[in-house]
Amino acid sequence: QVQLVESGGGLVQAGGSLGLSCAASGSIKSPNTMGWYRQGPGNQRELVAAITSGSSTTYADSVKGRFTISRDNAKNTVALQMSSLKPEDTAVYYCNLKYTLLIGKDLRRYDYWGQGTQVTVSS
């Protein structure tokens, strides 16, 4: 099992900055992808940013140029630095870790989630 513990988040004014971090522990397999998703009121959970073990990154179009994701493979941590925040960035942000394993002839996907942390951007 894998446990993800998030920290950071809170209330910030529009245009401000905020950082999130997530520490993973347990039976972590590599390579893997760590990322951040968010779910705003009345919305589906959506990908914000993700980063692979090899540091390849993916960003949602809505956060490109404003958010930066990074990770420390040795410490199994991932961080999200958010700047130029907008009210529409308000959401619960979830840390995610995923990997796949070939077990015999079966390709199994593993997907783990943190408990979520609230980010509120006031206008």
Side-chain angles (χ1 to χ4, degrees):
Q1 272 289 35
V2 173
Q3 295 78 40
L4 301 174
V5 178
E6 299 134 336
S7 59
L11 175 64
V12 64
Q13 288 189 332
S17 298
L18 206 58
L20 304 178
S21 57
C22 173
S25 61
S27 181
I28 301 166
K29 307 299 182 187
S30 293
N32 58 63
T33 297
M34 298 188 77
W36 293 92
Y37 289 70
R38 68 186 181 188
Q39 187 166 15
N43 295 333
Q44 291 186 332
R45 192 174 297 189
E46 62 176 0
L47 174 69
V48 176
I51 184 167
T52 67
S53 298
S55 297
S56 294
T57 58
T58 300
Y59 292 94
D61 287 343
S62 59
V63 307
K64 283 180 181 176
R66 300 189 297 122
F67 291 11
T68 301
I69 191 170
S70 60
R71 66 182 289 167
D72 184 328
N73 288 334
K75 296 181 179 179
N76 291 316
T77 58
V78 63
L80 185 70
Q81 183 61 39
M82 305 180 288
S83 60
S84 301
L85 282 161
K86 305 175 181 179
E88 50 263 44
D89 294 317
T90 295
V92 177
Y93 284 69
Y94 296 90
C95 179
N96 174 263
L97 183 148
K98 55 170 62 73
Y99 57 84
T100 55
L101 290 178
L102 183 62
I103 300 176
K105 297 181 180 179
D106 296 332
L107 192 63
R108 297 186 185 178
R109 179 186 175 97
Y110 295 84
D111 213 348
Y112 299 98
W113 295 91
Q115 78 283 359
T117 186
Q118 178 71 45
V119 172
T120 302
V121 184
S122 63
S123 56

